[in-house]
Structures are given as C-alpha cells and as structure tokens.
Amino acid sequence: MSLKNLSGVCLDQNKSLPIDTACLSINNLNDHVVTFLSNFEDCFLCYGQPVADIPPNTNTTIQISTKYPLKIYYNDTGATKPYIWCGSSYSFKQHGRYGWNITKDNSCSSVYTLYEPWNPYLPLLAAVMTYLLSFAIIFTSKLIINVVRTYLAKHAESHNDIDRLQESESTPEMVAVSKTAMRLQALDAFRGIAVLLMIFVNNGGGEYVFLNHAAWNGLTVADLVLPWFAWAMGFTIVNSVRVHLRVSVSRTRLIIMQLRRTVLLILFGLFINSQHNSTLSELRFPGVLQLLAVAYFICSVIETCLASPQRTFQFGRFVFLQDILERWTQWMVVLVIILVHTCITFFLHVPGCPRGYLGPGGYHHYGLNVNCTGGAAGYIDRLIFGQHMYQKTMNPVYGPTLPHDPEGLMNTISAVLIVFMGVQAGRIFVTYYQANSRIIRWFAWFVATGLLAGILCNFSQEKGWVPVNKNMMSLSFVLCTSSFAFLLFSILYYLIDHKKFWSGVPFIYAGANPILLYVGHYLTMGLFPFAWETGTTPTHASVLAMNLWTTTLWAIIAYLFYMKDFLITI
C-alpha cells in the first residue's frame, strides 16, 4: 500500500504540529475511491463536510483539528447512489496520532490510537499551582512580618510620662483620605477580576477553547467578561446619581455629564477599532466600549429621571421588597425595552430566512439558512452599518457565514438589561444597611435569574427556546451571566467588606483603574515587553506563559498606579 500525507507535517519528524491539531491515518481497504467527511460535534444539525478523497487500498494521513470532538464519516463514491456508510464521534487529543479503517463490507472500525499524546492542560495546571504557591508565600510572609511587628511593639520601651503628656496635649494629626480609601473594595475586586480576565482572553487565553468565546451557542469563561464589566458599571450608577441629586445637581446637568462620559467611551472604542483598520470607509463602528457606553447611558438616564434623592416610601408587609417597589417605574421602562427587543428578534421579517432564527447560518440546520447569520440582529446590523461592522465571515465550527457583529445594535439594546441588573444590585446596597440583608437579596437574585435563564434555554446548549448565546447577547445569556455576577459579588462582599477575611488583593488594583488597563492593553497588544514572537511553532505552554506574563505585567502596572493614588476616570 502506498502512503500519502496530505498535511505535509504529520510524517515529517523535523516539523511540529500546530496547536490543537492531530494526525489521522485513514486505511481504505476498498477497491475504489471513498470521500472522507467530518464536522465538529458542536456543529448543531450539520452535514459532514468533504475533507479529502481517499484512493483505493491506501493509507492516507491527514491533519485534523482537536478543538472540539469530531464526527467523521466516509462517502462510498463507488456505490450506485453515494451514501455515508458509517461514522463515529471521537475526542482527538492535541498532537496525537490515530488510525481509522474503512473496510470492504461498507463499514468502518473504531478510531484507534497510534501515539498517545501528552495532556495539553498540564501547562494550565502548572500555571495555577505556581500562582497559588506565589500567593501562599506572599500571604505567609506578610503574616510573619505582622506577628514580628506585634511582638516588638509589645516589648518596646514605653514612653516616659512627659512624652505621654506632650502627646496628649499636642494637636491631633491630620488624617489624609486617599481616593482609594473611599472605594467599595468588593466592587473593585469584582471589576479587577473582569478586566484582568479580559486582558488574558483578549491576548489568546493560552489558545484553550474554553478560555475563548463560544463558536455560537454555549458559555465559556471568556463569555463572562463583558457582561460582568457591564454589570459592575450599572452597580456604580445608583450611588452616583443619588449623591449628585442630594447635593442639588440638576437632573439636566447630570444627564449632560453622563452624555459626556458616553461620548468619551465611544471615542475610545473607535480609537481602538482604528488600530485594526484606519480606513474610514471600513472603520468598524460597534465595539465593546461603544456597547458599554450606550447601555450605560440608557440606564443612567432612566435612573436620573426616575430616581428621588431621598427614600420616601415604606410598604408595610412588603417592606422587604422596597428596593423594587420604590423603583417600579424604572423596571417597567427596562422591561418594555426588552419586550421590544424580543419582538424584533422573533417577529421581524428577514428576507430569505425563517422568523425568529437565532443561528449562525453556514453549515447550521443542514445549510438551509446559510445567509441568515444572526437572524434579525445580524440583518439589522448589516443594513445599518454595512462595511462598518465586524467582518469575520469564517466561523470555526459552522464554516463560511455572513458578517455579524457581537457588539451590534440589537446586542447593545440587550446589554441594557445586564447593566440594569447591576443597577438593581447597587440599589440593594444603598437601600439596606445590614450586610446579611444585602447578601441574602443578591443571592436571591442569583437563584432567580439563573432559574429563568435555565428555563429559557431548557438547561441545554441547543434545544431551548432561547439558547445561551454571547454572539446574539440572548435573553438567556443576559440572565445567566447576571446570575453569576450576583453570586460572585456576594462572595466577594462577604469575604472582603463584611468579614474582612481578604483584602481583595491583587484584583482591587486593576479594578480601581479599569479604563486605563482596558485601553492600554489594546494599544500595547503584540508589542514588547507585553508580547513577542517566539520564532518557533507555538504550543499551549508557550502561548499560555506569554499571556499570563502580559496579564501579570498589567496587574503590576495597576498596583503602581494604585499606590500612587492615581486613578483615571471618565
């Protein structure tokens, strides 16, 4: 039998396989050509796509992707009527070598392992252990230093009576209040986790699939970053508006201040987008900061127009719901916005597409809706923005698609609910003064939003009425990510501000300067010393090390700014 290598890498001992690839040797025992087909298991309702024609009585080696479990088939082209005779699904491992036999009786063997690869997640485990060990050493060192200082203080010579008398009669020292001392530590830690995680995943996340955005439906760690940032932004709105109204700042002036912040965020977002394409005719208008800016402005205007400087109502037996009942008009406005968004999503007529389509197009639904990427949301963005939107047209799972912007107009409207969930969390904070009352309510919102999200998506990735989808910023996605935000913030508040078990270090440093880190990491992306070219075939270990270094370096920069009490706000 002849041996053919279609990849040019699998049989060359001097070459290394790229990240997330493996080699599959297909042994065709038939006397005629067969076609090898495959598709990722995550590709919902997809046909297998032709990969290569396998000559008769040959062993053909091809390079395959290991990002997701792979479905493999073969099509017997020698039969009177082409047909996929058999197929299987297999989770190939990075840099592994596998075999698959296609026999003469229209059947195939199971996939078998020729070379067992090493675990690609070992570098991630090593990184986690390194960071935990570093934190343990730092914590232990601080504990020892504090114990020594306490011991020395107790055994130091006391001042004489004259010194004590002079101290008692002296003028009390002025207490300097820094900007950082007046901040809610749990919120800074929450925001710091979000922004550092954003830097990590934006730089590659070690090229691990679960540390990058989901191909379409589903939820990964990277998908939590943007909604958490939006949620934290909403949290700050309540107290900001209340303080300004209490010092008699007019609502008109306050809205102008909010508009100024919105415009600055949008300009920063356009500035970041211009890095990738400075041509005005193709400059992308939507973006992360643009989405945050518009969603923030809508929620802040709602809060400004409908909030009162002082609490004036009590509700008897419903006093435990006063944070909701006092602001029921705001809830009505936001619910109307979400209702309009939902009606457009499910009832707008999109030419050539079924109503309410939420899929990616491409191979999805057996290719019947190939030009329907993003449904109504994608159609509106392409209609309004044209070339001024995200132009990626190759989905890693669903193949060629139409342009679709994950921060487009409809997604921005959907993000209003995420920001408003943060507003609700902030309202709980300013309405109730006991820590337990706050934590119980935040936890209740975690349960309620999580259950509602589960009901909408039917607790499955693909089969629910409204799947969890970051690309579409679906209602179930908004509720699910808000649920995790309520849970994480409850934990942080309990540990940091309530029980004071933890100071929030090192995340509070990044959380105090989120705009600096967000804009700065985009401007320096790919530049030394934040990143570098290795000159060799990258691996998960090398990419992960560089991405963690980038994130750590920005955390150090945030620490230096924090120590200098230098906070950049808009």
Side-chain angles (χ1 to χ4, degrees):
M1 291 188 297
S2 63
L3 189 63
K4 182 181 179 183
N5 177 20
L6 299 181
S7 69
V9 177
C10 286
L11 299 180
D12 193 335
Q13 299 293 333
N14 298 320
K15 291 184 178 180
S16 300
L17 285 170
I19 289 178
D20 291 329
T21 58
C23 295
L24 176 63
S25 296
I26 304 173
N27 190 12
N28 180 14
L29 301 178
N30 290 279
D31 295 327
H32 52 264
V33 176
V34 299
T35 301
F36 173 70
L37 307 94
S38 70
N39 65 273
F40 288 121
E41 194 172 58
D42 281 29
C43 193
F44 186 62
L45 300 177
C46 297
Y47 287 126
Q49 300 300 311
V51 177
D53 290 330
I54 311 299
N57 298 310
T58 60
N59 189 328
T60 303
T61 302
I62 62 174
Q63 184 177 310
I64 57 174
S65 174
T66 61
K67 283 184 176 294
Y68 308 92
L70 197 67
K71 290 183 177 180
I72 57 176
Y73 320 86
Y74 82 89
N75 190 337
D76 192 344
T77 56
T80 305
K81 189 175 182 180
Y83 184 77
I84 297 176
W85 292 110
C86 72
S88 63
S89 178
Y90 194 84
S91 295
F92 294 95
K93 294 182 180 180
Q94 177 186 256
H95 297 176
R97 296 176 185 270
Y98 303 89
W100 190 50
N101 297 332
I102 300 174
T103 58
K104 294 183 178 180
D105 56 352
N106 297 330
S107 64
C108 57
S109 70
S110 300
V111 175
Y112 51 91
T113 302
L114 298 173
Y115 168 74
E116 186 68 34
W118 68 292
N119 192 331
Y121 297 104
L122 288 178
L124 189 61
L125 177 62
V128 171
M129 296 302 295
T130 301
Y131 274 92
L132 290 177
L133 180 61
S134 301
F135 290 145
I137 292 174
I138 293 172
F139 177 80
T140 305
S141 300
K142 286 185 175 181
L143 184 62
I144 293 174
I145 291 172
N146 289 335
V147 170
V148 172
R149 284 178 177 176
T150 303
Y151 177 81
L152 293 176
K154 286 182 178 179
H155 293 78
E157 293 184 2
S158 61
H159 296 290
N160 56 41
D161 294 340
I162 297 177
D163 290 336
R164 292 176 183 175
L165 181 60
Q166 290 176 343
E167 289 179 2
S168 64
E169 293 176 350
S170 62
T171 304
E173 295 183 1
M174 297 291 292
V175 178
V177 179
S178 65
K179 297 176 184 177
T180 55
M182 303 300 292
R183 302 176 67 88
L184 179 60
Q185 300 289 73
L187 184 60
D188 275 344
F190 179 92
R191 195 160 36 205
I193 291 172
V195 72
L196 290 177
L197 186 58
M198 182 179 291
I199 292 173
F200 178 61
V201 300
N202 283 352
N203 279 276
E207 296 298 331
Y208 290 104
V209 171
F210 68 93
L211 291 176
N212 285 272
H213 295 294
W216 198 252
N217 291 338
L219 189 69
T220 66
V221 175
D223 294 330
L224 297 170
V225 174
L226 175 58
W228 282 1
F229 209 81
W231 190 93
M233 181 177 282
F235 192 102
T236 63
I237 290 176
V238 180
N239 194 55
S240 175
V241 170
R242 187 182 66 158
V243 169
H244 281 91
L245 292 179
R246 282 185 173 181
V247 295
S248 300
V249 175
S250 68
R251 297 178 194 268
T252 302
R253 183 183 174 190
L254 187 52
I255 291 175
I256 293 174
M257 294 166 59
Q258 294 160 352
L259 179 61
R260 170 185 167 276
R261 186 185 190 197
T262 300
V263 172
L264 286 176
L265 285 173
I266 291 175
L267 290 177
F268 275 126
L270 292 174
F271 177 66
I272 290 172
N273 287 354
S274 68
Q275 281 193 297
H276 306 289
N277 194 333
S278 58
T279 305
L280 187 60
S281 61
E282 297 181 356
L283 178 64
R284 181 191 177 203
F285 289 164
V288 171
L289 290 182
Q290 294 90 313
L291 177 144
L292 292 172
V294 175
Y296 157 81
F297 181 71
I298 293 173
C299 289
S300 60
V301 169
I302 292 173
E303 181 73 15
T304 301
C305 294
L306 300 178
S308 57
Q310 304 289 339
R311 292 171 48 196
T312 55
F313 300 99
Q314 297 293 329
F315 298 93
R317 69 181 65 180
F318 298 107
V319 68
F320 67 97
L321 295 176
Q322 58 186 307
D323 56 298
I324 299 175
L325 297 178
E326 286 183 4
R327 298 292 182 264
W328 67 271
T329 52
Q330 298 177 21
W331 271 104
M332 292 303 298
V333 173
V334 172
L335 291 177
V336 167
I337 292 174
I338 298 304
L339 179 61
V340 171
H341 177 275
T342 303
C343 290
I344 293 174
T345 299
F346 287 97
F347 299 111
L348 179 69
H349 172 66
V350 178
C353 302
R355 293 184 189 274
Y357 181 73
L358 300 175
Y363 303 146
H364 180 257
H365 207 250
Y366 306 114
L368 296 177
N369 304 307
V370 63
N371 293 322
C372 300
T373 304
Y379 174 71
I380 291 173
D381 287 342
R382 291 188 291 272
L383 197 63
I384 294 177
F385 298 116
Q387 294 296 316
H388 299 282
M389 61 180 289
Y390 198 53
Q391 291 297 318
K392 183 179 179 181
T393 57
M394 179 58 70
N395 187 286
V397 171
Y398 291 97
T401 61
L402 293 182
H404 171 262
D405 205 303
E407 285 84 43
L409 181 61
M410 289 289 286
N411 288 13
T412 301
I413 297 174
S414 183
V416 170
L417 182 57
I418 301 179
V419 178
F420 193 74
M421 286 294 178
V423 171
Q424 176 59 34
R427 189 173 299 123
I428 290 173
F429 181 79
V430 301
T431 302
Y432 305 97
Y433 300 110
Q434 292 185 341
N436 290 337
S437 298
R438 294 167 174 172
I439 294 172
I440 289 172
R441 284 168 173 81
W442 289 327
F443 191 82
W445 276 99
F446 152 68
V447 174
T449 52
L451 283 177
L452 188 54
I455 292 171
L456 289 175
C457 70
N458 197 28
F459 295 95
S460 69
Q461 180 171 316
E462 301 287 352
K463 298 180 181 180
W465 178 54
V466 184
V468 174
N469 188 303
K470 189 267 179 187
N471 295 280
M472 295 285 291
M473 203 72 74
S474 65
L475 183 57
S476 58
F477 172 81
V478 169
L479 293 170
C480 180
T481 53
S482 297
S483 174
F484 285 124
F486 278 111
L487 176 61
L488 177 60
F489 184 78
S490 300
I491 295 173
L492 292 175
Y493 181 78
Y494 179 83
L495 295 176
I496 299 172
D497 288 291
H498 180 36
K499 293 297 184 180
K500 301 189 183 300
F501 291 147
W502 176 38
S503 64
V505 173
F507 300 111
I508 56 172
Y509 307 137
N513 257 320
I515 294 299
L516 169 69
L517 267 64
Y518 182 82
V519 176
H521 98 274
Y522 266 111
L523 297 180
T524 59
M525 191 174 290
L527 301 178
F528 186 83
F530 297 93
W532 54 87
E533 292 291 337
T534 59
T536 59
T537 303
T539 63
H540 277 301
S542 63
V543 176
L544 179 65
M546 185 165 59
N547 296 158
L548 288 174
W549 161 251
T550 304
T551 307
T552 303
L553 186 56
W554 277 111
I556 294 172
I557 293 172
Y559 167 76
L560 296 176
F561 275 96
Y562 191 92
M563 290 296 102
K564 294 294 184 181
D565 201 29
F566 184 80
L567 307 183
I568 296 179
T569 58
I570 297 178

